[in-house]
Amino acid sequence: MLKVLLVDDEAPILNNLNKVLPWQEMGMEVAGMARSGMEALRIAEEEAPDLVLCDIRMPVMDGLTFIGKLREMGLESEVLLLSGYQEFDYAREAIRLGVKEYICKPIHYGELGNKVREIGTQIRNRQYKDKLYNSIPLFQELPAAEDSAKKTPDQLMNLAAKIISERLSYDLGIEEVAGRIGISSSYFCLLFKNRFAMTFVEYVTQQRIEAAKFMLSSTDKSITAISSGVGYQERRYFTKVFQKQTGMTPKEYRDQKKRPEKQ
């Protein structure tokens, strides 16, 4: 779950931001709410939020000053500014501070929700890439060349299938898996197509959708969490692929599985 910090000096707006947007459905949680920049800084230091929704005009410390302090603390939280002010100077300073989105008051919550989802996708993609870069290398514990040479094509493809099943949440590529089992990409593609009668991408997609179907029918996990768990960081894209493979959306599939069969 991504952590969100809400900052606005108007209590009704702050409460609406907390209650109106479907945070859990979007894979997020409100980690704190503040009515001033000073209060927001204290919460940010404790929670290190992934996303900050912040008003510009506030008492004690305005939104832009708060964002500047946020950057000084070394926090790279994405920021979505909320304000009734549209002067160029505010926008220019916001851009300098790395603010990518700007919503004008009065707030249209449908538009705001779309913006938050888009930013959430950007954050997850960045975190995913960082995690992949910093995680245990995919090539760790590669079999020695002679070990691969001793394996039969079936054994090599069994190993490939095992690697894929263990890493469905990762952005797997042919080169990575071929390298892990110690053979060339071209030889891997030949063996893979002969063994599974489909391309590598088709097989990975099939395995991801099968895993998603199992989780949809047997767990109460949110569709967003399931999407991420099978390697799709963008829920809308996951829904598109799932519908293409099964003829129904993830929600329709879950509802069908939970509906009691007619006697």
Side-chain angles (χ1 to χ4, degrees):
M1 299 285 278
L2 298 181
K3 290 185 178 182
V4 181
L5 172 59
L6 307 178
V7 189
D8 198 298
D9 63 313
E10 298 182 56
I13 291 179
L14 200 59
N15 290 329
N16 282 343
L17 289 173
N18 184 34
K19 295 178 181 179
V20 173
L21 294 181
W23 295 110
Q24 187 171 7
E25 180 186 324
M26 295 190 292
M28 303 179 186
E29 61 178 352
V30 176
M33 299 191 293
R35 294 187 61 185
S36 72
M38 290 295 291
E39 185 182 1
L41 269 183
R42 288 194 294 271
I43 296 173
E45 189 173 12
E46 294 176 1
E47 298 292 342
D50 300 293
L51 171 63
V52 177
L53 274 65
C54 181
D55 189 19
I56 286 182
R57 288 287 183 95
M58 295 183 296
V60 184
M61 179 188 292
D62 66 25
L64 294 180
T65 303
F66 159 67
I67 298 168
K69 296 289 185 183
L70 200 68
R71 299 307 183 219
E72 289 175 10
M73 290 166 58
L75 294 177
E76 299 180 356
S77 313
E78 292 290 352
V79 179
L80 197 163
L81 280 178
L82 311 170
S83 179
Y85 298 90
Q86 303 179 49
E87 293 93 333
F88 176 73
D89 286 344
Y90 283 111
R92 181 172 57 188
E93 179 65 7
I95 291 171
R96 187 186 72 78
L97 293 169
V99 175
K100 295 181 180 178
E101 298 291 349
Y102 191 107
I103 294 286
C104 293
K105 294 181 179 179
I107 298 171
H108 184 288
Y109 286 96
E111 177 188 357
L112 178 60
N114 290 335
K115 289 289 186 183
V116 169
R117 286 185 177 88
E118 290 175 11
I119 296 174
T121 297
Q122 294 168 12
I123 294 171
R124 289 187 181 91
N125 286 342
R126 185 182 68 239
Q127 290 178 343
Y128 170 73
K129 290 176 183 178
D130 291 344
K131 180 180 178 181
L132 190 61
Y133 181 81
N134 294 315
S135 65
I136 298 172
L138 191 60
F139 294 104
Q140 187 172 353
E141 298 179 1
L142 289 179
E146 62 269 23
D147 291 337
S148 294
K150 293 176 182 177
K151 294 183 184 297
T152 67
D154 278 348
Q155 289 173 327
L156 289 171
M157 290 301 96
N158 287 340
L159 181 55
K162 183 175 183 292
I163 293 169
I164 292 169
S165 68
E166 291 174 346
R167 293 179 173 270
L168 287 178
S169 61
Y170 290 82
D171 186 18
L172 277 176
I174 291 172
E175 294 80 7
E176 288 83 356
V177 181
R180 178 133 191 206
I181 64 177
I183 62 176
S184 69
S185 298
S186 57
Y187 184 43
F188 176 88
C189 289
L190 177 63
L191 294 182
F192 198 91
K193 190 69 178 288
N194 286 340
R195 171 66 182 274
F196 298 104
M198 63 180 74
T199 67
F200 175 81
V201 172
E202 290 170 341
Y203 179 84
V204 172
T205 299
Q206 181 190 79
Q207 296 303 304
R208 283 174 168 164
I209 297 305
E210 288 302 315
K213 285 163 66 177
F214 174 78
M215 285 189 280
L216 286 166
S217 61
S218 62
T219 76
D220 292 324
K221 287 186 177 181
S222 70
I223 293 175
T224 299
I226 290 173
S227 170
S228 177
V230 296
Y232 295 100
Q233 304 308 310
E234 170 54 59
R235 174 175 165 169
R236 283 178 293 183
Y237 181 63
F238 166 66
T239 297
K240 181 179 179 181
V241 174
F242 190 93
Q243 190 165 21
K244 182 178 180 182
Q245 294 289 318
T246 67
M248 62 186 80
T249 66
K251 184 179 185 305
E252 289 170 343
Y253 181 86
R254 170 171 273 172
D255 290 344
Q256 182 189 75
K257 290 298 179 181
K258 288 186 176 180
R259 190 182 307 129
E261 295 184 5
K262 294 182 180 179
Q263 298 297 325

